[in-house]
Amino acid sequence: MEQVTIKVEGMSCMHCVNSIEGALKERNLKGSVDLQAGTVTVQYAADKTSLAQIKEIIEEQGYDVVA
Ligand SMILES: [Cu+2]
């Protein structure tokens, strides 16, 4: 299992947390949002999911992936 922490802009409240964590969960990914730090930490299996896919899932929810 890999773990990555992605910097994301535009997350401000529990609604943001729920939409991002929920969207990841729908793809069987365990994500946790840190509002204060503006980051999303995701655990994923590198043979099933790519980093690009994870970023896409977050962007689909309307947030900007910074790094
Ligand atoms: Cu929000």
Side-chain angles (χ1 to χ4, degrees), residues 8-64:
V8 178
E9 261 176 11
M11 305 182 298
S12 56
C13 65
M14 278 316 287
H15 169 78
C16 304
V17 173
N18 290 335
S19 33
I20 291 176
E21 290 183 355
L24 290 166
K25 201 172 172 189
E26 272 175 26
R27 270 90 160 186
N28 292 314
L29 296 165
K30 167 133 181 53
S32 91
V33 173
D34 184 331
L35 279 182
Q36 213 122 44
T39 57
V40 182
T41 299
V42 184
Q43 285 164 354
Y44 66 104
D47 57 339
K48 292 200 183 106
T49 309
S50 71
L51 193 50
Q53 282 175 309
I54 295 171
K55 290 181 176 176
E56 208 177 288
I57 293 168
I58 296 171
E59 283 172 344
E60 274 170 12
Q61 298 304 309
Y63 303 97
D64 291 325

